[in-house]
Amino acid sequence: MKAGEAASFPWDDVLAFCLGRLRWSPGDFWNATPREIAAAFRGAPGMIEAPCPSLGELEKLMRRFPDDPGTGRRPEGDA
């Protein structure tokens, strides 16, 4: 995205959250107002209230669960 350009709305993320996590029907989703969707995000346990890990915690997790640089996924056979 270039400076001055507006970010596009994250439709895929919002749809996945409302239909997948909250299990709304498509009709419920499309009938919801933006304010209702925002309230659903705020009310979902673990979505907003969860603190971000510190840099040290993140580095520890990255050492414990390294990604395969070629795929961005954990290497095969890791549990």
Side-chain angles (χ1 to χ4, degrees):
M1 184 169 60
K2 295 179 184 176
E5 289 183 356
S8 61
F9 187 80
W11 283 111
D12 290 342
D13 295 335
V14 174
L15 281 165
F17 173 75
C18 292
L19 276 62
R21 178 136 184 198
L22 298 180
R23 301 194 183 277
W24 287 3
S25 71
D28 290 338
F29 175 79
W30 290 111
N31 287 316
T33 65
R35 184 173 289 193
E36 291 168 333
I37 293 171
F41 270 95
R42 285 192 308 276
M47 291 299 296
I48 303 298
E49 305 88 6
C52 293
S54 69
L55 181 57
E57 292 168 326
L58 179 59
E59 289 171 343
K60 182 179 176 183
L61 287 169
M62 290 171 68
R63 283 191 302 273
R64 186 170 176 201
F65 303 104
D67 290 338
D68 179 339
T71 64
R73 297 185 180 152
R74 289 181 33 194
E76 293 294 322
D78 283 358

